[in-house]
């Protein structure tokens, strides 16, 4: 039995893409020979963000939009835990946009899985930052008035070292990408196309299925400008899935040379201030 | 004996440097002081000043009126004339022949080609005025600057010293202090309290007047094995602290009112997920951007009720620099004991006041974590009737799996919408508040025991009020003060022993709406009869309170 | 006569649709109702139910116990058995032979190949149970769906109707209502209030249970010439509303507690820059994410003191759907009159309760802007002693230049750090609060005049308490209630006329800490003797309050 | 006399790059024949953000990081006002990052001038999002631990239609760029290199002067991928100034067809709800 699996009933709708993501993640974690005690799954608020309740591992179901800084704190406290962030497109790119930007600048060592259903699911169907321009939603009766965010181009431009896209409807591909992200030391962003059967009647399973294509073997993910160009492709012209961009750089904690071990492992004593007090004499 | 030195000028003219030299000399002399920075929200120019009150006993308040005013430019010289005692002295770096002003200028000083020579002459003048030996100026030669500069500074100071050597000198009642004295401000005291408590992580966003806490911790992060991180905003700062605290590391954030406003939602998250978080709000005047570099005590009721819903929290407001250290230390133990957020309220006055105070005692301090390291079958992280000592965090043992959640949740931390769970969670919060109450310090009564007037004060104002009471009692006034450092939760009976028939309660607060007075009425039913308020962005002074109290006392005769 | 219908099942099984059909029939019959949605924070599945209390007089509270329970699945059938009155009926779409349960299933029903046929049979059953003529089912044929579906629905309903035609029917005391009745919920009422007040801009971020306000306004933005925008977060939502309001357009935002937490800093900005902002907090249970789709009244003290510093604000808490309309309308006039933020506190109970109520009267409503359109030499936007009617905004005339600022500022809106300016700004805020006080509505006293027990309630609970008082008085209890819709500022004497010797004050609130009770004590010194609280996320019911009151009344005998 | 000039003393340090920006802006506004009553200058909080107090025009000095949404509200209320946003790099890219992202997605019609001194000035010298990696500051004694944000690449990637850089030390260039931005209908972001003489001892006037170069005449700002490539250049390899990217698209208010005039000009009456109430009968 996969130790990450729980018997909990989810609150997701039958047919939702979230199930595939949960399943793929659980499998990858098991295949990596990790134990539930080795993994911390952090999320914000939303349908996707309920995932930590459905997997047997340490979990933090935080606030809407605030998963990234919470994950940073957890990570600096105890980097021994494998850190997974799993949240929605609204959570990540909407309310949480600023934290994503700066989390990437820090190059936190994290696997950030965005369940991108191009809609606000939990709040019943409003447009999200990735909803297409003009698309009609349960709130935007007259169509979206903002240009959609391009998460891949965004991540590449702000210096993310692992930028990938996958599709909940292609578990094999998804697992591969999650594995690669877990192997990467630094900020690994995976935007996962995830059909929302209840509120997104445009970007359906079929819609995605008909458009996604795997990046060719010949594609070199190390050319930033080329990656940016590839990231421009979305929609009817096809949607590339795979690792669009990859670059190695020192991760956040690697930049602090003065720490010899995880913060949580230091024994501390009030006596530590004695020498500091001496400086004030 | 008490003397007040004011050093005024534009930002960038060396006020801070001069003040630091004077502080060091005063301390070496074996005297006490409190020095307070009064500065504008700008980087260069404007009119800023530091007020240094020197005494042979510990000082808790500055005086508004200078005995000696060092004016570093023309504007400062104008201010000096308004804010110097009738028998005080004014030294100016300007050329002047005006009576009552003493110019530090001289050919010899001009000959020292150094832009700070005027300021340094002023330092010398102050040393002479206070009656210090010339060798107290030695510090000017031992700085991080170049040898040339150090020598020039010392020469300039010697010239200033010579000029004031012959004025009348105060007679100090020097006595060896019982304990060794240290010199620091309120922000540093908070930072040291956190280090003593074993904080491993501090995350904040720059904001006057709280930035000093982060700056001190950042400077010391290597030796203290901490990680100090500047966040992208205050929401991130508090969320990161929560993330660390919920993973076993003592963590803290600090900010001022505007930043605290942004942390309000996260505060509720810490509370509902029972994360021991410590946060310091260094108050400055609002609303909104307000007066960034000034002082006020107007965030109290906001802090008490911030965030949606109802939960357990602790609010502490240290009354002095020394209290700031011990209170911050204690905050971490309380936070972990009750698994609640602890909010520390200081203010710009406390943060930017440098004092001499007894070296903090670390011997008696004990870090108490209240964690559960024993393996437990079917461990329930959030058991509803288990308040203390049951805490595990991810990685604390090899078997537990820990969930942290922002919803109403069951004993395992999993989302629940059940009525009984909702009730149980709420009741747990309320029960915690009751328990915490027993653990908090009672207010301190100072002054004569047969008082007719009882002042009530909290936070930094309580420190100042303490000094005012001494002065009033010396004048024979039957006045006492009840000083609150631990604020909330508050006992319904907290005033019972103190407010007796015939006693007039006078509420003293650095705000306009008597927020603590309101809190007291809300919790105890007692309403103050009179109040003394200041809300112009400047701190109370003991003398100012004494004057207001004398009016009140005379009225009721 | 009063009958309560409950429709229970999983999300997605047509509860809302069924309820809407029933509501329409009830209204056409000339009866009154209140229907309340009790739903989980999920999209499909779970157990949700709508409670519809039908009466021949206006309804302010639902009953917990069903007279008729329509159970749309197995789980609902189990609940039905627990929550139906002993003499009530349970209809289920399941096959069953259990006594006490009536199955809607039949071969004829199965023959209608439509997944909602069971639900529609239930609608027919309810119509029959309530004693309605069969033609009341006509609505099922006039919907947005296809002709086939409409016909199938009507057929299914007819089958259900037939099944219950012969049960005993209530005898309604039908009387023509004095005024034409409309049917809407609290969120829509707030939205309509804003439209009536001439709001041009609404900006918000989706958050249950407040999203309905935005959804209604969005739907109507074309005909109302508004611009409704979904912001990227709540901070942006409020800042955008402030930006519009400070540029002459009536603007509003709405959210629930978590979102309001994020708006706290911006609230202070609106206040200090004297921008007439209206914001609605539709409360749900906290702390933090809490219970997203449930109800509570626990944000009161938070709302009163939110944001650093001290400033003028108005807090209003409508007691009913109809009050929500008029109060929201009034909020805009108050905001512009005093140039302050006005906060409207509703809750999920009010937001998600649909009622029949008198058609709102717009004849007497007047939009009052208090702006200054005359050109003024040396115009001072923020004159310290000018409170009402001096407002200009950019573009209002061709000569003025207007500054809006978040610092302490002078009369032109330019940053200042002066002591007198700081004092004057603060005093202006306090003076405004005094003036506003005179302009707010007093609480309403309902019940017998020789009361021995006085209930105190605010917001949506006050509506429910009103009904409880009627019931208690009918039972001969000497009970009255003081109902607060306008909350803050509050007069020190507000209770004087009501709390007389011998009267026991009973505080009734949808929270655990008696926040309004605390506020009353803080402002008036009066403390309630007893309290009735509910904080499990579910609304009070009149019957529940009656029961609690009866215990309290009997105790004191 | 330039009607936009005030006699107010500023609180800026002598020699600060902000003076040049203020001067250039005032001149451009005058040269555009605008009156102070035609212009609204919005800012957040910081040294740069004090600018609205130093120019004679309508002004909104809002909160730290919150200028963009405030400007949006002002703009929807009264688009007749020419909208200028002038704020710091910390304000815009730090505290305000999320609003910038979504303001651009809306394509607000605005000239957004970022005074980019690569430091937090008003709070006395902490690192900002644009401070270089490793650079020592008054707070980051051990050097910056985050990768700097590349504002040009960021803006291009999130769909900004006018992305430019200029230098406060080259007023002629700066004026040209501001003029072009004012002529552009949509979100015009100008990142202005601005030496902070008090707190940035690395990125001095000379440092910038030695590195900036004007984009060649032949440079085509309409090629997004090329622009992204150009945006990668910063620092010792030279810093391109000029319009890096330009693309025309409908601005925010142009996307709402139902408004015939500025919102502030509608006469409104409570009667407006009468027909809506009828729907509820
Ligand atoms: C501060 C705050 N604002 C708003 C909400 C309401 N809210 C909950 S989830 C959500 C959006 C969810 O969308 P997404 O992140 O895309 O997740 P999904 O449900 O689609 O998986 C919103 C707006 C909230 N919980 N907190
Ligand atoms: C909510 C909030 N957090 C923090 C601050 C403190 N603060 C004022 S200005 C500033 C940074 C200014 O940097 P920048 O935007 O680059 O402007 P500069 O001063 O460099 O022109 C900060 C952190 C504040 N005013 N409000
Ligand atoms: S609402 Fe959409 S995203 Fe959420 S569980 Fe249902 S199908 Fe999935
Ligand atoms: S601190 Fe820097 S940015 Fe601010 S005014 Fe001084 S030089 Fe200019
Ligand atoms: Mg989504
Ligand atoms: Mg800057």
């Amino acid at each position: 039995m996969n130790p990450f699996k729980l018997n909990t009933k989810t609150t997701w709708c039958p047919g939702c893409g979230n199930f595939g993501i949960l399943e793929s993640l659980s499998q990858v974690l098991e295949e990596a020979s990790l134990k539930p005690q080795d993994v911390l799954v952090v999320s914000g608020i939303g349908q996707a963000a309920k995932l930590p309740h459905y997997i047997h591992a340490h979990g933090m179901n935080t606030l809407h939009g605030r998963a990234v800084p919470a994950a940073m704190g957890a990570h600096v406290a105890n980097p021994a835990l494998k850190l997974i962030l799993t949240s929605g497109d609204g959570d990540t790119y909407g309310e949480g946009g600023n934290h994503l930007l700066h989390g990437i600048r820090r190059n936190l060592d994290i696997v950030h899985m965005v369940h991108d259903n191009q809609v606000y699911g939990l709040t019943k169907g409003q447009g999200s930052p990735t909803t297409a321009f003009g698309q009609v939603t349960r709130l935007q009766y007259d169509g979206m008035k903002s240009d959609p965010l391009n998460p891949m181009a965004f991540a590449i431009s702000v210096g993310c070292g692992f930028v990938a896209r996958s599709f909940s409807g292609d578990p094999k591909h998804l697992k591969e990408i999650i594995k690669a992200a877990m192997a990467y030391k630094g900020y690994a962003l995976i935007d996962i196309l995830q059909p929302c059967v209840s509120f997104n009647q445009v970007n359906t399973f079929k819609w995605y299925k008909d458009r996604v294509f795997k990046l060719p073997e010949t594609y070199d993910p190390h050319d930033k400008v080329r990656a940016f160009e590839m990231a421009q492709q979305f929609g009817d012209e096809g949607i590339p899935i795979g690792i669009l961009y990859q670059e190695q750089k020192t991760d956040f904690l690697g930049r602090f040379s003065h720490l010899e071990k995880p913060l949580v492992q230091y024994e501390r004593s009030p006596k530590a201030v004695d020498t500091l007090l001496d400086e004030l004499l | 004996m008490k003397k007040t030195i004011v050093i005024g000028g534009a930002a960038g003219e060396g006020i801070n440097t001069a003040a630091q030299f004077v502080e060091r000399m005063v301390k070496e002399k074996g005297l006490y002081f409190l020095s307070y920075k009064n500065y504008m929200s700008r980087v260069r120019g404007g009119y800023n000043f530091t007020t240094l009150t020197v005494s042979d006993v510990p000082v808790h308040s500055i005086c508004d009126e200078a005995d000696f005013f060092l004016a570093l430019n023309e504007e400062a010289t104008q201010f000096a004339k308004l804010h110097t005692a009738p028998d005080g002295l004014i030294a100016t770096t300007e050329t002047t022949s005006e009576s009552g002003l003493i110019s530090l200028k001289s050919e010899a000083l001009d000959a020292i080609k150094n832009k700070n020579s005027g300021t340094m002459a002023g330092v010398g003048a102050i040393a002479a005025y206070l009656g210090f030996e010339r060798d107290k100026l030695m510090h000017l030669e031992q700085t991080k600057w170049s040898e040339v500069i150090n020598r020039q500074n010392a020469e300039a100071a010697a010239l200033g010293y010579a000029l004031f050597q012959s004025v009348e000198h105060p007679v100090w009642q020097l006595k060896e202090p019982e304990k060794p004295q240290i010199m620091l401000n309120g922000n540093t005291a908070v930072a040291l309290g956190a280090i003593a408590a074993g904080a491993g992580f501090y995350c904040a966003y720059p904001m006057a007047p709280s930035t000093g806490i982060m700056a001190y911790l950042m400077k010391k992060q290597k030796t203290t094995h901490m990680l100090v991180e500047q966040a992208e905003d205050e929401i991130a700062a508090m969320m990161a602290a929560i993330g660390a605290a919920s993973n076993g590391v003592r963590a803290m954030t600090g900010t001022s009112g505007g930043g605290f406003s942004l942390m309000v939602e996260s505060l509720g998250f810490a509370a509902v997920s029972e994360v021991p978080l410590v946060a310091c709000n260094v108050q400055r005047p609002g609303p909104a951007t307000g007066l960034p570099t000034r002082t006020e005590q107007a965030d109290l009721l906001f802090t008490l009720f911030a965030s949606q819903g109802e939960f357990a929290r602790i609010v502490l407001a240290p009354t002095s620099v020394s209290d700031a250290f011990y209170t911050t230390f204690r905050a971490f133990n309380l936070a972990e004991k009750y698994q609640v957020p602890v909010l520390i309220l200081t203010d710009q006055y406390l943060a930017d006041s440098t004092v001499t105070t007894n070296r903090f005692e670390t011997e008696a301090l004990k870090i108490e974590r209240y964690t559960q390291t024993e393996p437990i079958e079917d461990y329930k992280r959030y058991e509803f009737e288990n308040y203390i000592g049951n805490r595990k965090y991810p990685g604390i043992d090899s078997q537990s799996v820990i969930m942290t959640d922002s919803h109403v949740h069951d004993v395992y931390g999993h989302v629940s919408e059940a009525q009984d769970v909702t009730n149980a969670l709420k009741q747990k919060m309320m029960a915690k508040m009751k328990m915490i109450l027993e653990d908090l310090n009672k207010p301190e009564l100072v002054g004569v025991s047969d008082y007719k007037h009882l002042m009530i004060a909290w936070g930094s104002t309580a420190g100042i009020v303490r000094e005012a009471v001494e002065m009033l009692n010396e004048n024979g006034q039957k006045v006492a003060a009840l000083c609150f450092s631990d604020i909330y939760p508050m006992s319904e009976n907290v005033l019972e022993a103190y407010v007796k028939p015939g006693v007039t309660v006078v509420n003293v607060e650095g705000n306009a709406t008597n927020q603590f007075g309101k809190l007291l009425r809300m919790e105890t039913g007692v309403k103050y009869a009179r109040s003394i308020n200041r809300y112009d962005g400047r701190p109370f002074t003991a003398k100012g309170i004494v004057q207001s109290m004398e009016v009140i006392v005379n009225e009721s005769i």
Side-chain angles (χ1 to χ4, degrees), chain A, chain B:
Chain A
M1 239 293 280
N2 184 321
F4 292 93
K5 290 207 179 164
L6 281 176
N7 285 330
T8 328
K9 271 208 246 164
T10 78
T11 59
W12 291 330
C13 313
C16 174
N18 282 330
F19 292 103
I21 300 175
L22 172 60
E23 180 64 31
S24 297
L25 175 62
S26 306
Q27 288 183 18
V28 172
L29 292 173
E30 185 193 23
E31 288 165 23
S33 304
L34 289 163
K35 297 193 308 301
Q37 290 80 1
D38 301 332
V39 179
L40 174 63
V41 187
V42 182
S43 71
I45 292 293
Q47 290 287 70
K50 289 176 179 168
L51 191 144
H53 293 286
Y54 307 148
I55 193 164
H56 189 57
H58 299 304
M60 282 189 83
N61 184 182
T62 70
L63 296 173
H64 186 52
R66 313 302 168 197
V68 174
M72 163 168 75
H75 183 61
V76 304
N78 191 358
L81 300 174
K82 185 75 209 165
L83 189 61
I84 313 277
L85 200 163
T86 155
S87 229
D89 47 326
D91 194 87
T92 302
Y93 306 130
E95 185 92 38
N98 204 37
H99 307 306
L100 176 64
L101 165 57
H102 296 281
I104 291 175
R105 287 185 51 230
R106 289 188 181 92
N107 200 24
L108 292 178
D109 184 19
I110 193 171
V111 177
H112 186 158
M113 300 166 46
V114 184
H115 303 216
D116 190 354
N117 54 11
Q118 304 189 252
V119 78
Y120 283 14
L122 185 56
T123 47
K124 309 205 167 167
Q126 301 83 18
S128 90
T130 52
T131 310
F133 181 79
Q135 189 163 319
V136 171
T137 76
R138 293 263 184 132
L139 178 70
Q140 283 82 11
Y141 308 98
D142 197 34
M144 293 292 288
K145 304 293 188 190
S146 288
D147 301 334
L149 175 76
N150 180 328
M152 297 291 97
F154 166 83
I156 294 166
S157 78
V158 297
C160 188
F162 183 104
V163 182
R165 185 189 280 123
S166 189
F167 173 37
S168 69
D170 186 345
K172 193 161 156 284
H173 185 267
L174 180 55
K175 279 180 60 180
E176 242 170 60
I177 297 290
I178 299 174
K179 267 184 198 163
M182 291 202 6
Y184 177 80
K185 193 155 183 69
Y187 210 106
L189 183 80
I190 316 175
D191 189 78
I192 306 171
L193 305 171
Q194 172 240 324
C196 168
V197 298
S198 288
F199 296 119
N200 194 331
Q201 263 71 65
V202 176
N203 312 107
T204 59
F205 178 83
K206 182 167 171 5
W207 191 92
Y208 289 124
K209 188 81 190 161
D210 290 348
R211 284 164 181 76
V212 294
F213 67 90
K214 295 198 180 78
L215 285 167
E217 298 261 317
T218 55
Y219 178 79
D220 173 14
H222 296 92
D223 178 341
K224 192 181 257 190
V225 176
R226 177 79 191 85
F228 182 79
E229 190 172 11
M230 182 57 82
Q232 300 305 307
Q233 210 177 331
F234 192 89
D236 292 343
E237 333 136 47
I239 305 173
I241 59 175
I243 303 171
L244 275 85
Y245 183 64
Q246 185 156 5
E247 176 196 352
Q248 205 50 57
K249 41 184 173 182
T250 315
D251 84 307
F252 185 61
L253 284 178
R255 297 170 184 188
F256 291 85
S257 54
H258 71 279
L259 295 178
E260 291 138 26
K261 51 184 178 188
L263 282 179
V264 75
Q265 285 176 24
Y266 281 94
E267 286 289 333
R268 296 174 188 275
S269 146
K271 297 256 163 308
V273 292
D274 285 343
T275 54
L276 300 175
L277 294 175
D278 288 343
E279 296 172 8
L280 304 171
L281 279 174
Chain B
M1 176 61 59
K2 202 178 261 180
K3 288 289 174 198
T4 292
I5 312 292
V6 176
I7 308 173
E13 284 181 332
I15 300 174
N16 290 349
T17 311
Q20 276 163 24
F21 281 123
V22 176
E23 290 164 3
R24 185 117 307 278
M25 289 188 293
V26 169
K27 180 165 179 303
E28 295 225 329
K29 182 74 187 172
L31 291 170
Y32 299 83
F33 72 87
L34 186 151
S35 86
Y36 169 71
K37 277 190 220 172
N38 201 311
Y39 61 106
M40 299 181 76
S41 179
R42 58 190 294 166
V43 172
R44 291 280 162 81
Y47 175 63
N48 297 341
F49 61 100
T50 288
T51 306
L52 233 147
T53 295
V54 180
S55 173
D56 29 30
V57 294
V59 188
H60 296 290
S61 166
I62 49 164
C63 294
D64 267 340
E65 234 181 20
D67 296 304
F68 185 101
F69 202 119
L70 170 61
L72 299 179
N73 64 21
E74 169 54 26
E75 194 179 0
T77 309
Q78 296 313 317
F79 274 93
K81 288 189 264 178
L82 296 171
H83 298 287
T84 305
D87 60 348
L89 298 180
I90 302 174
T92 166
T93 54
E94 303 286 300
T95 321
T96 183
S97 57
E98 210 177 316
S99 83
L101 300 182
I102 304 167
S103 177
L104 292 161
K105 281 254 175 188
S106 67
E107 269 177 40
L109 193 65
D110 282 348
I112 304 172
K113 296 264 172 269
N114 173 327
K115 74 175 169 54
N116 291 317
S117 59
T119 307
M120 292 304 151
V123 171
I126 293 169
Y129 169 76
L130 290 173
F132 295 170
E133 306 75 33
R134 190 196 300 265
D135 68 6
K136 284 273 170 304
L137 291 173
M138 250 177 47
H139 282 290
L140 283 94
E141 291 172 54
Q142 296 154 356
T143 74
K144 56 184 179 178
W145 297 310
S146 74
E147 239 177 82
V148 181
I149 302 231
N150 287 344
R151 210 191 39 248
Q152 289 175 334
N153 286 347
E155 280 172 27
L159 290 171
Y161 191 89
L163 209 58
F164 281 83
Q165 207 163 7
S166 51
V167 302
E168 195 193 331
H169 302 310
V171 184
W172 301 109
Q173 305 291 329
L174 284 179
K175 36 184 183 288
E176 196 58 34
E178 286 160 46
K179 310 234 168 120
Q181 297 289 299
I182 53 175
M183 192 166 87
L184 77 170
N185 67 22
N187 273 343
T188 305
V190 168
L192 286 166
I195 297 169
F201 182 57
Y202 186 88
C203 192
Y205 188 76
M207 184 163 197
S210 70
T211 317
I213 302 173
M214 172 159 55
Y216 185 83
L217 292 171
M218 187 77 94
K219 219 175 255 157
K220 303 299 179 193
Q221 70 172 334
K222 294 195 176 189
T223 51
T224 56
H225 306 296
M226 291 180 73
L227 199 150
V228 181
E229 176 68 0
Q230 176 180 325
E232 60 270 26
D233 58 30
E234 289 85 351
I235 305 177
M238 188 177 266
M239 287 302 293
I242 293 171
S246 70
N247 279 276
V249 167
R250 287 192 160 186
M252 178 171 175
T253 185
T255 185
S256 188
F260 184 71
S261 279
L262 293 164
M263 295 175 174
V264 163
E265 190 196 13
S266 308
L267 177 69
F269 171 48
V272 81
S273 58
E274 305 194 36
V275 171
L277 171 81
V278 177
C280 181
N281 174 0
V282 185
Q283 296 165 97
R284 72 189 213 189
T289 311
L291 288 174
T293 60
R294 309 279 171 183
T295 201
E296 196 172 59
Q297 294 187 289
D299 296 355
L300 178 65
L301 290 173
F302 170 37
T303 306
L304 291 181
F305 301 114
S307 210
Q308 71 272 20
E310 296 167 312
F311 51 82
R313 83 184 81 197
I314 298 175
V315 179
L316 309 174
T319 61
S320 68
V321 168
S322 159
D323 189 14
F325 171 78
Y326 293 107
T327 293
T328 305
F329 176 85
R330 208 157 48 89
F332 283 90
N333 280 350
L334 286 167
E336 290 204 322
K337 182 166 184 186
Y338 297 104
Q339 306 181 44
V340 294
V342 179
L343 303 168
I344 301 172
L345 270 178
T346 67
D347 51 40
Q348 185 266 336
Y349 171 71
L350 193 58
D352 283 336
S353 285
T354 300
V355 298
T356 38
T357 186
N358 288 344
R359 188 183 197 282
F360 305 144
E361 301 277 4
T362 56
E363 206 53 58
L365 301 182
K366 199 155 163 280
I367 294 175
E368 294 177 287
R369 308 266 341 233
Y370 304 94
T371 47
Q372 176 55 269
T373 48
E374 293 302 305
I376 294 181
E377 190 85 22
D378 191 26
Y379 171 67
K380 302 190 181 69
R381 166 77 178 88
Y382 304 97
E383 230 169 336
F384 292 126
E385 272 148 41
N386 197 337
Y387 306 103
I388 297 167
N390 188 41
R391 191 161 85 98
K392 284 185 183 292
Y393 47 78
I396 196 170
D397 63 29
S398 60
Q399 96 185 24
S400 310
V401 159
I402 308 291
M403 185 70 202
T404 302
D405 176 49
S406 70
H407 300 84
V408 168
H409 46 251
D410 64 20
V411 291
Y412 300 101
H414 285 299
V415 195
S416 169
E417 301 197 27
Q419 286 168 268
D420 54 346
V421 167
T422 308
N423 279 330
L425 184 67
K426 186 82 96 155
Q427 281 149 11
K428 183 177 192 183
M429 295 283 172
M430 302 303 117
K432 278 191 189 183
M433 284 305 263
K434 283 228 177 71
M435 300 182 68
I436 294 165
L437 195 51
E438 301 305 310
D439 218 346
L440 294 189
N441 293 335
K442 305 276 168 286
E444 200 190 333
L445 185 74
V446 297
V448 295
S449 54
D450 58 339
Y451 54 87
K452 293 266 163 286
H453 285 78
L454 179 66
M455 287 194 271
I456 290 190
W458 65 280
S460 74
T461 298
I464 302 168
V465 160
R466 208 178 292 254
E467 195 159 306
V469 167
E470 275 172 35
M471 291 161 75
L472 284 159
N473 288 170
E474 273 168 32
N475 295 354
Q477 306 286 14
K478 296 207 176 308
V479 169
L482 203 54
C483 298
F484 286 79
S485 175
D486 287 7
I487 305 289
Y488 200 75
M490 180 180 275
S491 154
E492 175 141 26
N493 319 315
V494 69
L495 294 182
E496 236 166 46
Y498 309 106
V499 179
K500 301 164 221 156
V503 167
T504 305
V505 174
V506 182
N507 192 53
V508 188
E509 277 189 75
N511 61 46
T513 56
N514 289 298
Q515 299 190 16
F516 192 75
K518 277 173 185 270
L519 173 65
L520 279 175
R521 192 178 198 196
M522 178 191 232
E523 297 292 333
T524 71
V526 174
K527 198 190 168 190
Y528 57 89
R530 300 297 310 270
S531 77
I532 301 175
N533 305 82
R534 183 161 197 178
Y535 46 84
D536 61 358
R538 279 67 179 176
F540 279 113
T541 62
K543 209 164 154 188
I545 293 173
V546 166
Q547 283 163 355
S548 302
M549 269 312 284
E550 277 170 348
V551 173
I552 291 172
V553 169
N554 287 334
E555 265 175 8
S556 36
I557 290 172

